[in-house]
Amino acid sequence: GQNIDQPTEMTATEGAIVQINCTYQTSGFNGLFWYQQHAGEAPTFLSYNVLDGLEEKGRFSSFLSRSKGYSYLLLKELQMKDSASYLCAVHNDYKLSFGAGTTVTVRA
Amino acid sequence: GAVVSQHPSWVICKSGTSVKIECRSLDFQATTMFWYRQFPKQSLMLMATSNEGSKATYEQGVEKDKFLINHASLTLSTLTVTSAHPEDSSFYICTYREPDTGELFFGEGSRLTVL
């Protein structure tokens, strides 16, 4: 089976940094996605990690440790528009399994 | 990237009626599309994989007679919710996965409300 865990909610201040952790236990692993989803909208792609290490893309960075079954998404210089749900998703074989999502609220 | 167009964006229907949701690939040909369902504040759950020209593959617990999937062409996949009930109210979203990179391209999603 698939087990993907991430915190339910996080709150941070505008301009701050927030780290969203994701742990997974899945049968098979090809890679890990992070998506951003605003309420009522489809998810949008943020990152895809296949190998261990940190990948940086502007204000967003994603880290993966395959041996630990662990990933995190780092959001820097938070802006109000970053308030959204962030989904961790594991890609194995032909399936993509999603975590429940972490709702990030950015406060002024 | 690939463009996936989903229609309708939202629909309200009476209990017992059927609703069809269309998912079109605008600039590519999709042999496989994935249909997800998302209840409020919950994760996206894979319902089924639609395969062009053949039967869809349903996930465990998803009623194939209730959620009819048709993928008659390389550019169109449809999901029909038959005899809808209030518990079927959800956000339905189709997805295409680019085979080389594994990147997902989502349709806009369809919010179904069954009264």
Side-chain angles (χ1 to χ4, degrees):
Chain A
Q2 322 294 339
N3 191 22
I4 302 170
D5 291 317
Q6 50 182 130
T8 305
E9 294 179 328
M10 300 183 77
T11 302
T13 308
E14 197 174 12
I17 298 174
V18 69
Q19 177 174 313
I20 306 169
N21 296 323
C22 173
T23 58
Y24 61 90
Q25 292 175 309
T26 58
S27 54
F29 181 87
N30 296 112
L32 188 143
F33 287 91
W34 282 98
Y35 287 90
Q36 180 191 62
Q37 185 179 26
H38 285 98
E41 298 180 11
T44 55
F45 171 81
L46 292 178
S47 67
Y48 181 47
N49 292 65
V50 177
L51 302 176
D52 287 357
L54 182 69
E55 296 214 4
E56 299 183 77
K57 190 184 295 185
R59 294 189 298 113
F60 294 179
S61 303
S62 57
F63 171 84
L64 175 67
S65 169
R66 294 176 65 141
S67 61
K68 296 181 179 179
Y70 168 70
S71 173
Y72 68 72
L73 179 70
L74 194 69
L75 315 179
K76 293 182 276 190
E77 301 170 20
L78 279 173
Q79 302 175 8
M80 300 299 288
K81 66 178 182 180
D82 297 330
S83 292
S85 180
Y86 292 85
L87 308 175
C88 166
V90 172
H91 175 211
N92 65 323
D93 297 327
Y94 70 95
K95 286 187 182 182
L96 194 66
S97 300
F98 287 84
T102 299
T103 300
V104 172
T105 302
V106 181
R107 293 183 174 168
Chain B
V3 178
V4 179
S5 176
Q6 187 172 342
H7 177 82
S9 300
W10 57 272
V11 58
I12 301 173
C13 69
K14 293 182 179 179
S15 184
T17 59
S18 294
V19 174
K20 179 186 283 188
I21 300 169
E22 294 187 345
C23 187
R24 295 182 183 275
S25 53
L26 298 185
D27 55 357
F28 63 97
Q29 294 183 323
T31 55
T32 302
M33 297 289 278
F34 300 91
W35 285 93
Y36 286 85
R37 176 171 55 182
Q38 185 179 34
F39 292 107
K41 297 190 177 182
Q42 294 188 25
S43 177
L44 282 84
M45 298 299 295
L46 181 65
M47 297 176 66
T49 303
S50 89
N51 305 296
E52 188 268 336
S54 64
K55 292 183 179 179
T57 304
Y58 289 82
E59 295 300 300
Q60 193 172 9
V62 178
E63 300 174 58
K64 58 182 66 177
D65 294 331
K66 181 172 182 61
F67 299 99
L68 302 179
I69 290 176
N70 184 281
H71 196 149
S73 76
L74 289 171
T75 59
L76 176 64
S77 176
T78 62
L79 167 67
T80 301
V81 183
T82 62
S83 187
H85 288 95
E87 56 265 31
D88 299 324
S89 298
S90 185
F91 187 62
Y92 294 86
I93 190 164
C94 64
T95 305
Y96 167 73
R97 183 161 71 236
E98 211 288 319
D100 292 333
T101 64
E103 185 175 352
L104 280 186
F105 297 93
F106 289 91
E108 298 93 333
S110 300
R111 181 159 302 283
L112 170 64
T113 301
V114 184
L115 302 177

